[in-house]
Amino acid sequence: MEVFKDGKFFTALSKDRISPGPLGIRTYNRDKAFRGYTLFSTAFGNVEYLIDMNGMVVHTWPVIHSQLAEILPNGHLLVDDYGHGLYELLPAGDVIWSWKHNYHHDFCLLPNDNIIVLIYKHEPVVEGFYVRAHAPQYMQTDVVVEINRKGDVLWSFSFSEHVEDLCAVSGLSLSVSYVRELPDGSLVEYGSADWAHTNTIEVLPDTPLGRKDNRFGAGNLLFSFRHLDIIGIIDRKKEEIVWAWGLGELDGQHQPTMLSNGNILVFDNGTYRGYSRAVEINPATGEIVWEYKDGENFFSPYRSGVQRLPNDNTLICESDAGRIFEVTPGQEIVWDYYSPFMGQGSGNQGRHIYRATRYTDEQIEAVIAARKEEMIVAVADARRQPKRTFPEALQFYREGFGG
């Protein structure tokens, strides 16, 4: 949402990019795209969709005011209810676990079944953080917590207690000044209580870089401050921010993720700049080693995300266009999908998609297997052989459509 310029963070208004044309699949290069299933929902929506490469809806879950979800190895769905908590659903949609709290934006499941979660709380203003004339009455501070399945908080990290760490590694100088552009083009300086707006939390994987440099070690936490144009890393053992990047380069970014080579992939929204990018950086040097951009044809001022696929392609969610697409390292679009789904009910965000994830056949086996007793009628192949169960019918359609 912000871009750092002349010592100030500038914001711009939201706008949707409309691309005239059919909704659904517009491009599918079967030889170059990474075959799988894509999971997404409309932002603040009430249905989670799993589609195949041809755009066919394979499975749905009923959700509540959701932005993102994760399919677990057992076929369950871990999903958020934005502002209220997390739920775990069976493939049939039954809730088998829930945690209610002032959750927002992101979660990460740990190998021991604990969950890293973002929550927020109101705290006193950190002295000197804001330009005094525009300081708010309180700071809305994001807090990283680790919870177990009982809901017990086992560890917490409040970002407001680590402003000094942040300034030391990011180049941020106090006092912070925010500037809002009004509809008439005029600029107004203000103090944002939501001073960081953390939109991502991810546990770092084991990488060659992490084994050489403890800042990037496995188990540390990667975060994104949208309102400060900064991504950074928390060292869990030291309990401090040990690395940061983005000031003067990023613009309202989302979903930084560390790749197996130790680089970091991030969606750079470009809210104030006016166009978006997918960027891969070397965190040890700060060098941009790959990027995808397409001017006015690729722009989501808010939300969005990226995923590096096993064939080295990149899946990109262009939220405000309701679009999910896949590009090769050479920037060729090999799969392009415009969602036909519009959110329903009060408070939804139309066709926006907050985040999308591609899964392999193996990763959704448990979801499909859970429907093996589901009977299908009146579906048969060219030899008039009936397809009597859901898995049989799905396989028939996948082979027939070349998905």
Side-chain angles (χ1 to χ4, degrees):
M1 182 177 177
E2 265 74 2
V3 66
F4 186 70
K5 184 174 66 172
D6 301 326
K8 298 179 179 181
F9 291 94
F10 287 80
T11 73
L13 301 175
S14 179
K15 65 176 182 179
D16 288 14
R17 187 181 73 80
I18 301 296
S19 175
L23 299 179
I25 299 294
R26 296 189 184 180
T27 300
Y28 179 21
N29 185 326
R30 289 168 173 79
D31 295 327
K32 294 184 178 181
F34 181 78
R35 173 176 158 163
Y37 298 83
T38 303
L39 181 73
F40 68 95
S41 71
T42 55
F44 292 166
N46 56 12
V47 179
E48 194 77 26
Y49 299 97
L50 185 67
I51 64 171
D52 71 4
M53 299 299 288
N54 289 303
M56 183 175 71
V57 176
V58 171
H59 193 79
T60 62
W61 292 263
V63 296
I64 302 171
H65 198 58
S66 178
Q67 290 205 133
L68 63 116
E70 178 181 344
I71 298 176
L72 306 182
N74 60 6
H76 296 180
L77 189 78
L78 189 58
V79 61
D80 72 347
D81 173 3
Y82 190 87
H84 302 285
L86 302 175
Y87 295 84
E88 184 174 340
L89 305 178
L90 296 175
D94 304 297
V95 177
I96 62 167
W97 175 84
S98 65
W99 174 76
K100 296 184 178 181
H101 209 288
N102 52 344
Y103 154 90
H104 71 93
H105 278 95
D106 209 2
F107 61 85
C108 186
L109 185 65
L110 298 175
N112 64 1
D113 208 37
N114 290 347
I115 308 173
I116 297 290
V117 185
L118 285 173
I119 63 172
Y120 69 87
K121 63 180 179 179
H122 293 171
E123 295 183 331
V125 172
V126 172
E127 182 66 28
F129 184 85
Y130 297 94
V131 173
R132 184 175 295 274
H134 303 291
Q137 295 182 339
Y138 61 87
M139 294 179 87
Q140 180 174 302
T141 289
D142 300 321
V143 181
V144 185
V145 297
E146 178 181 349
I147 63 170
N148 60 24
R149 289 307 189 109
K150 296 179 180 179
D152 302 320
V153 174
L154 308 178
W155 179 83
S156 66
F157 185 96
S158 174
F159 282 113
S160 67
E161 297 173 4
H162 296 271
V163 171
E164 187 175 338
D165 301 350
L166 177 67
C167 292
V169 296
S170 69
L172 179 68
S173 298
L174 304 182
S175 301
V176 172
S177 179
Y178 301 89
V179 180
R180 179 184 292 119
E181 183 183 54
L182 300 180
D184 62 4
S186 61
L187 301 174
V188 176
E189 191 169 351
Y190 72 106
S192 176
D194 186 10
W195 61 277
H197 196 92
T198 314
N199 58 29
T200 303
I201 195 70
E202 176 185 279
V203 179
L204 296 188
D206 178 48
T207 64
L209 176 62
R211 291 191 289 271
K212 291 190 299 183
D213 188 331
N214 290 334
R215 294 178 299 170
F216 310 107
N220 286 348
L221 300 175
L222 176 62
F223 64 86
S224 168
F225 285 167
R226 190 189 80 181
H227 282 184
L228 296 177
D229 299 338
I230 291 171
I231 61 175
I233 291 175
I234 300 166
D235 186 312
R236 286 200 64 178
K237 293 180 180 178
K238 293 182 177 180
E239 295 200 345
E240 63 183 57
I241 299 171
V242 294
W243 175 86
W245 181 85
L247 198 62
E249 184 67 56
L250 295 174
D251 180 5
Q253 75 290 333
H254 284 76
Q255 202 185 10
T257 182
M258 180 165 278
L259 308 177
S260 60
N261 62 5
N263 289 345
I264 293 174
L265 182 68
V266 61
F267 189 101
D268 181 14
N269 291 73
T271 308
Y272 196 80
R273 184 177 59 233
Y275 64 88
S276 298
R277 306 182 296 171
V279 177
E280 180 182 345
I281 70 161
N282 179 335
T285 65
E287 176 190 6
I288 294 176
V289 298
W290 180 84
E291 70 174 353
Y292 173 85
K293 58 185 179 182
D294 192 16
E296 64 182 13
N297 297 315
F298 173 41
F299 182 40
S300 181
Y302 294 81
R303 294 161 288 274
S304 303
V306 284
Q307 178 191 8
R308 181 59 49 83
L309 300 173
N311 66 349
D312 211 32
N313 288 354
T314 301
L315 188 72
I316 301 173
C317 173
E318 186 188 356
S319 171
D320 295 351
R323 181 191 186 199
I324 309 166
F325 64 106
E326 180 182 341
V327 299
T328 66
Q331 305 196 14
E332 178 185 358
I333 297 174
V334 295
W335 188 79
D336 200 3
Y337 173 82
Y338 283 79
S339 171
F341 301 112
M342 184 171 179
Q344 303 295 312
S346 179
N348 79 81
Q349 293 187 19
R351 291 181 55 255
H352 294 171
I353 303 169
Y354 183 76
R355 187 180 293 180
T357 305
R358 176 74 52 79
Y359 289 90
T360 65
D361 288 7
E362 293 75 22
Q363 288 174 314
I364 70 152
E365 278 183 354
V367 176
I368 304 305
R371 300 180 64 177
K372 64 184 179 182
E373 303 299 329
E374 186 177 321
M375 302 307 295
I376 302 293
V377 298
V379 175
D381 62 21
R383 295 175 300 164
R384 295 185 172 85
Q385 296 298 311
K387 306 301 175 183
R388 300 189 185 281
T389 68
F390 177 82
E392 289 177 349
L394 177 61
Q395 183 66 23
F396 169 61
Y397 289 134
R398 285 293 298 269
E399 292 175 353
F401 291 120

